[in-house]
Amino acid sequence: MTKSSLSSASITGNLPTRFVGQRVIYYPSLTSTMEIARQEARQGAEEGTVIIADEQTAGRGRLKRAWLSPRGNIALSVILRPHMAHLHSLVMLASLAVVHSIEAVTGLKPRIKWPNDVLIAGKKVCGILIESHVQRKRVDYAIMGIGINVNLRPGDFPDISPTATSLSGELGRDIPRLSLVRHLLVEIERLYLALSAGQSIYGEWQDRLVTLGKRVRVTSADTTQEGTAESVAEDGSLRLRRPDGSLVKILTGDVTLRDQ
Ligand code: BTN
C-alpha cells in the first residue's frame, strides 16, 4: 500500500491554478480537515486555501456520520467564497471534479449517486461534504470536503466493505495520490471559474447520475421516503415519484438504490 506522505510543496509546486491550491496546509494527522478549514476561513484565509491530511482521526460524513480516513487515502477541504447564487452548485461541482480527476489518472469511469457520492461498479469510492456560513444573504465561506478511497483495502474495514471500494481495489495496484490531488485542484478551479462566468455544470452532472429512473429509498435527517427518482432540478434537488403518484422535491438526503 502506498503510504508515502504528501506535502504542501509537492502539491503547490508549479500547480497550474490561479488560486485553488496555491496555499496548502498539510497535516500528517488531524481530527478533521473540515475543522481546521473552518478555523482558517473564520480567520480570513484566502479563497482556494486547501487543508489536507494523510489521516483523520475524527473524519466527518454527511448526515452526522463518521468518515473513515486512514493513511493512503485522500482527505482534503478547500475554502471557497462563492456568490450566493452558486452555493447550491458546489455539490455538483465537487462530484464532477472528482469524476474527471479519477478518469484522468486511472482510466476508471465513475458515476454519481445523487446528490454527490462517487461510485465505481456500484460501490462508493468518494464522499463529499459541503459546509457553509451565510450572513445577511452573502456567503462568508464555503468548505468543500472531499474524501477519496485511494489505497485502501475495503476488506480490512468490515463496517464499510459491503458498500465501499477504492481505486487500488478496483485496479489491483497502488495509485499515486499526489497526481490525483493535483488533478483534482486544477479541475475544481476550472469548474468553479466556469460557474462564476455563468456556465452551467448541471447538464453534465445529470448525465453522470446513476440514480434517475431507479427505484430508491431516500433517507433525510428525520424521514425516509421511497419511490422512483424521476428527475433532478438545476438547484440539485431530487424529484421523487411516490407510489401514490404524488411528486415530492427533496433537497438533500442519502439514496439507496432498490434495484441493485
Ligand atoms: C459523506 O459521504 O458522508 C461525506 C464524506 C466527506 C469526507 C471528507 S474527508 C475530507 C473532509 N474532512 C472530513 O472530516 N470530511 C470530509
Side-chain angles (χ1 to χ4, degrees), residues 1 3 68 70-71 73 149-158 160-161 164-166 168-169 174:
M1 188 181 286
K3 289 192 173 170
L68 192 68
R71 284 171 63 83
N73 282 352
N149 296 335
V150 185
N151 297 303
L152 170 99
R153 280 205 303 247
D156 291 348
F157 303 93
I160 62 164
S161 61
T165 188
S166 68
S168 65
D174 285 349

Side-chain angles (χ1 to χ4, degrees), residues 32-34 56 59-62 67 76 117 124 127-128 146-147:
S32 162
T33 57
M34 301 305 280
Q56 297 184 116
R60 297 210 301 259
R62 293 171 59 238
W67 179 258
L76 63 80
D117 285 349
K124 182 160 167 170
I128 290 160
I146 299 177

